């Protein structure tokens, strides 16, 4: 029988690399937790309509990339392609916006699914950590989120990332711009699909990566010139707050992002070591999304950072994370009696909060010491019949090579002292 493989466009996280993923998730979540964001978890699938309405009927995500399914009961569901629509849906359903102070600040971490053409950095199953601040229009909030993402990346040791910033305007000024852009685009030499896009989502055409398209866009009307006074003032405030915080950003008027719900502030974190899939994270303000999915007006802002690409960015920069050691103490028993006794010691150490592991399977000293080495443990405990008769175990410092007997009853206290 042939063996199975992970489905196309997916990969497994296995030790030791999986520890890096946990550390990245933790590093992104830590500043959020310290800034009043509460943890939220939503299902891996939702009503397909939530994404059609929330993410946008005309986006690639909805038209091409969603994993949809019909349940036996006849419900149309989709594996979640992104987090924001689900989080907002859940917040509305739980009436979090009525329960207390606004904004409702939430963070999440999980798996997302898009049927994309797989390549390095682009997968069909990927992992994001995200944050949403729901129900408040305040440039300080936009700045807070960008600053927290910057802080997370810096805490990981990343340096070669850039923050691209733009404003997409609001429901007053964007429609005026949209029309001006459409008029300009209709005169260009473009293929059928792009012509259709002009009518549904013209801003996305600006995002077209093809050189022959970009060449024609040089004189396209700029959103910047169409922003209303309120949007302009709001954007200036966000920029000033970031500058005051010492967060470096680049104005990028072409940044439109692939989702329909964004208004005003939009931003992307890009990493220069990643080739074509350079966006490591992104987000922005989505003042109209709540109403689009049947809720009240709740101006909101959020971002999602991709865990997979953040790990690739760390590798590209050659950053070695300072990962906690998995095992501090490794116990090697010689004989059956020693197995029982040392396993008891290991249990005691673990209960005292010391990471300890054990040479299972009754191997000989040589093989077991090899495992001890591989485990990365700072100390090994070795005990044979003679040691037990004397009521001691041999404690070996794997760094210095020093070894000596320690009374059985003192092992936990001695190791606690030595490991600080
Ligand atoms: P988006 O919702 O498309 O703005 O994505 C936010 C972040 O999620 C991106 O910057 C990537 O880091 C990550 N991401 C999105 N799609 C994929 C994918 N197919 N494979 C890996 N990471 C992804």
């Amino acid at each position: 029988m042939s063996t199975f493989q992970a489905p196309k466009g997916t990969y497994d996280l296995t030790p030791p690399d999986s520890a890096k993923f946990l550390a990245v998730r933790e590093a992104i979540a830590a500043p959020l937790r310290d800034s009043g964001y509460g943890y939220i978890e939503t299902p891996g699938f939702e009503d397909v309509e939530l994404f059609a309405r929330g993410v946008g009927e005309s986006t690639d995500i909805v038209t091409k990339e969603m994993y949809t399914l019909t349940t036996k009961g006849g419900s149309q569901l989709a594996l979640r392609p992104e987090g924001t629509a689900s989080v907002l849906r859940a917040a509305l359903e739980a009436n979090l916006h009525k329960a207390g102070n606004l904004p409702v600040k939430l963070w999440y971490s999980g798996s997302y699914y898009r049927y994309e053409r797989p390549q390095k950095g682009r997968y069909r199953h990927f992992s994001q950590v995200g944050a949403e601040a729901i129900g408040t229009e305040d440039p300080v909030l936009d700045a807070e989120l960008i600053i927290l993402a910057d802080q997370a990346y810096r805490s990981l040791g990343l340096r070669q990332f850039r923050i691209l910033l733009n404003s997409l305007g609001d429901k007053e000024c964007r429609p005026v711009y949209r029309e001006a852009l459409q008029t300009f685009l209709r005169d260009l030499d473009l293929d059928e699909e792009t012509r259709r896009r002009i009518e549904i989502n013209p801003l996305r055409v600006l995002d077209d990566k093809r050189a022959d398209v970009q060449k024609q866009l040089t004189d396209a009307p700029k959103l910047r010139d169409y922003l209303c006074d309120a949007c302009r003032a709001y954007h200036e405030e966000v920029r000033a707050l970031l500058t005051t915080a010492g967060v470096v950003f680049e104005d990028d008027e072409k940044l439109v992002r692939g989702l329909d719900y964004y208004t005003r502030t939009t931003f992307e974190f890009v990493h220069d070591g990643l080739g074509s899939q350079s966006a490591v994270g992104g987000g922005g303000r989505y003042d109209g999304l709540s109403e689009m999915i049947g809720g009240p007006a709740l101006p909101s802002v959020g971002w999602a950072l991709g865990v997979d690409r953040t790990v690739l960015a760390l590798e590209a920069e050659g950053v070695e994370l300072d990962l906690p050691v998995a095992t501090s103490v490794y116990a090697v028993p010689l004989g059956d009696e020693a197995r029982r006794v040392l396993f008891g010691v290991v249990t005691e150490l673990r209960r005292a909060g010391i990471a300890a592991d054990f040479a299972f399977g009754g191997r000989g000293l040589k093989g077991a010491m090899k495992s001890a080495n591989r485990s990365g443990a700072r100390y090994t405990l070795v005990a044979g019949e003679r040691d037990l008769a004397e009521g001691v175990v041999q404690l070996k410092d794997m760094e210095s090579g020093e070894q000596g007997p320690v009374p059985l009853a003192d092992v936990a206290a001695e190791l606690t002292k030595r490991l600080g």
Side-chain angles (χ1 to χ4, degrees):
M1 205 169 70
S2 62
T3 53
F4 292 103
Q5 291 181 330
K8 182 171 175 191
T10 73
Y11 62 102
D12 304 303
L13 292 178
T14 52
D17 280 355
S18 50
K20 248 190 280 184
F21 277 72
L22 283 180
V24 165
R25 288 196 187 107
E26 178 54 33
I28 300 173
L32 296 169
R33 250 191 256 120
D34 288 345
S35 309
Y37 290 75
Y39 179 65
I40 185 166
E41 199 165 313
T42 64
F45 48 79
E46 297 274 354
D47 189 323
V48 71
E49 268 303 302
L50 174 70
F51 300 120
R53 275 200 268 159
V55 179
E57 305 268 12
S58 69
T59 58
D60 284 351
I61 293 181
V62 168
T63 54
K64 298 185 196 149
E65 298 169 4
M66 271 206 297
Y67 282 89
T68 54
L69 61 113
T70 308
T71 66
K72 292 196 179 88
S75 307
Q76 300 282 334
L77 302 177
L79 300 187
R80 57 185 181 188
E82 59 101 48
T84 303
S86 311
V87 167
L88 189 56
R89 193 270 308 140
L92 290 171
E93 190 172 332
N95 279 317
L96 297 183
H97 58 299
K98 294 183 187 158
N101 295 340
L102 292 178
V104 176
K105 301 210 284 188
L106 302 166
W107 75 274
Y108 59 87
S109 172
S111 293
Y112 297 85
Y113 307 87
R114 292 182 195 172
Y115 190 77
E116 298 199 78
R117 197 169 45 77
Q119 63 185 92
K120 182 154 194 203
R122 189 157 79 181
Y123 311 105
R124 292 180 172 176
H125 164 264
F126 57 97
S127 179
Q128 290 182 339
V129 177
E132 315 289 350
I134 298 164
T136 305
E137 187 186 282
D138 184 340
V140 180
L141 200 52
D142 305 40
E144 166 174 294
L145 276 162
I146 296 171
I147 292 166
L148 292 175
D150 177 78
Q151 188 181 327
Y153 275 167
R154 290 191 180 279
S155 79
L156 281 165
L158 285 173
R159 293 295 176 266
Q160 290 161 24
F161 65 89
R162 292 179 293 131
I163 302 172
L164 310 179
L165 185 68
N166 194 19
S167 172
L168 292 181
D170 63 7
K171 59 179 189 296
E172 302 304 321
C173 54
R174 185 141 99 215
V176 184
Y177 172 68
R178 190 176 186 272
E179 224 173 281
L181 182 62
Q182 279 175 323
T183 308
F184 171 86
L185 294 173
R186 283 185 196 123
D187 286 339
L188 303 183
D189 178 22
L190 299 165
D191 59 278
E192 264 317 297
E193 193 186 334
T194 311
R195 303 203 75 83
R196 261 199 306 280
R197 185 168 283 164
I198 296 174
E199 303 311 318
I200 317 168
N201 197 341
L203 270 75
R204 289 295 312 287
V205 180
L206 298 178
D207 213 15
D208 202 308
K209 300 282 185 281
R210 291 171 296 182
D212 61 310
V213 177
Q214 279 303 325
K215 205 172 60 206
Q216 300 184 66
L217 295 175
T218 329
D219 295 327
K222 306 259 186 285
L223 182 49
R224 193 180 47 195
D225 301 329
Y226 285 76
L227 289 185
C228 61
D229 290 345
C231 284
R232 203 180 295 275
Y234 194 98
H235 196 55
E236 279 316 308
E237 186 65 21
V238 174
R239 295 176 76 256
L241 288 160
L242 292 176
T243 303
T244 304
V247 170
V248 180
F249 59 89
E250 295 167 25
D251 294 303
D252 180 358
E253 57 195 17
K254 288 221 173 101
L255 181 70
V256 294
R257 306 205 14 90
L259 296 79
D260 273 357
Y261 51 59
Y262 287 112
T263 51
R264 289 196 169 169
T265 313
T266 34
F267 50 89
E268 204 152 79
F269 284 70
V270 295
H271 193 279
D272 293 325
L274 294 188
S276 64
Q277 303 305 308
S278 64
V280 282
R285 186 153 271 287
Y286 49 93
D287 292 340
L289 179 59
S290 175
E291 287 151 294
M292 275 150 77
I293 63 169
L298 285 172
S300 307
V301 55
W303 51 243
L305 304 186
V307 178
D308 311 74
R309 285 188 201 165
T310 302
V311 170
L312 291 174
L314 288 168
E315 286 165 5
E317 280 196 44
V319 177
E320 286 295 334
L321 294 179
D322 199 7
L323 298 173
V325 284
T327 305
S328 302
V329 180
Y330 197 91
V332 177
L334 304 172
D336 286 344
E337 177 60 11
R339 249 148 62 95
R340 281 190 289 273
V341 174
L342 270 193
F343 186 61
V345 172
V346 163
T347 300
E348 191 189 349
L349 290 174
R350 289 170 175 169
R351 286 178 179 154
I354 295 173
D357 209 350
F358 188 78
F360 295 96
R363 270 165 304 161
L365 181 62
K366 209 168 145 212
M369 286 311 282
K370 230 183 238 164
S371 301
N373 259 323
R374 234 179 268 133
S375 79
R378 172 70 196 271
Y379 295 100
T380 49
L381 295 172
V382 185
E385 264 162 49
R386 208 177 326 141
D387 299 305
L388 293 182
E390 291 168 18
V392 300
V393 298
Q394 301 297 325
L395 173 61
K396 180 173 181 185
D397 183 331
M398 301 295 274
E399 244 163 54
S400 67
E402 274 167 47
Q403 182 171 328
V406 176
L408 251 175
D410 300 343
V411 173
E414 176 65 23
L415 282 168
T416 305
K417 196 177 76 196
R418 290 205 196 190
L419 287 164

